[in-house]
Amino acid sequence: MSKVKVLLIGGGGVNISLAENFEKEKLKYVLLLSDKTEAEKLSEKGIKAYAINLISEDEIRKFHPEKVKSIIVDMQNSSDMLYVILILTELAKESNIITIVHNEDLEKRLESVKKIKDIKIINPSKQVANELLSLLKEK
């Protein structure tokens, strides 16, 4: 784990795409998933994916989040994501934490966590919508 630079937590589309790109670029990463079948399928494609209980502090601790430079959390289940973020605020005090959110409610909830630890919140849907709006205004 000392060589790992990025810890990807969750099987959202952004994390899967990042893992594929990191693999192509030979960047050091690990992808943690809750779905064992998905982890096995990705491992067969050469992705460094492991299935664990993502809401278990003990399971996450095994991957030494305190030693990685950045952690990207992209999970479909909002409650689980909030819980994982709270775990990471304790375990990964020096790591950059980036969350990928897919709805405004979760984005708002995570804003309150920012009072505990500075985390970056990215809403890809909003970013794409804003970019499309700009393109449409140009026409």
Side-chain angles (χ1 to χ4, degrees):
M1 284 302 297
S2 62
K3 295 179 183 177
V4 172
K5 299 231 186 280
V6 180
L7 186 59
L8 304 170
I9 299 178
V14 172
N15 270 359
I16 300 299
S17 293
L18 281 170
E20 290 168 347
N21 288 326
F22 288 171
E23 195 61 40
K24 287 177 193 169
E25 297 292 323
K26 306 279 190 249
L27 298 173
K28 304 295 184 186
Y29 73 96
V30 167
L31 172 62
L32 303 179
L33 304 168
S34 59
D35 185 326
K36 185 177 180 182
T37 304
E38 181 71 13
E40 289 172 355
K41 194 165 66 172
L42 289 168
S43 290
E44 288 172 7
K45 290 173 50 177
I47 304 293
K48 293 170 194 74
Y50 300 90
I52 68 165
N53 178 357
L54 294 176
I55 59 171
S56 166
E57 182 174 334
D58 291 336
E59 291 287 310
I60 291 175
R61 189 183 303 273
K62 292 176 186 176
F63 290 89
H64 302 284
E66 75 282 358
K67 292 183 180 180
V68 299
K69 183 175 181 174
S70 297
I71 300 170
I72 302 172
V73 183
D74 183 12
M75 300 172 67
Q76 299 303 317
N77 184 307
S78 298
S79 299
D80 287 354
M81 179 185 240
L82 283 168
Y83 195 74
V84 167
I85 296 297
L86 290 174
I87 290 171
L88 292 172
T89 60
E90 287 295 315
L91 297 181
K93 295 187 185 304
E94 301 300 318
S95 301
N96 296 318
I97 299 175
I98 303 165
T99 59
I100 308 300
V101 299
H102 301 282
N103 64 65
E104 287 190 37
D105 183 54
L106 180 57
E107 188 173 356
K108 186 168 61 173
R109 300 290 170 243
L110 284 170
E111 285 294 333
S112 63
V113 175
K114 286 179 78 167
K115 296 172 187 165
I116 302 168
K117 177 167 176 51
D118 186 29
I119 59 174
K120 176 128 175 89
I121 302 168
I122 298 173
N123 186 332
S125 298
K126 266 189 184 177
Q127 289 180 338
V128 170
N130 290 336
E131 191 171 323
L132 287 172
L133 181 62
S134 293
L135 289 172
L136 292 171
K137 283 182 174 180
E138 290 174 8
K139 304 289 176 187

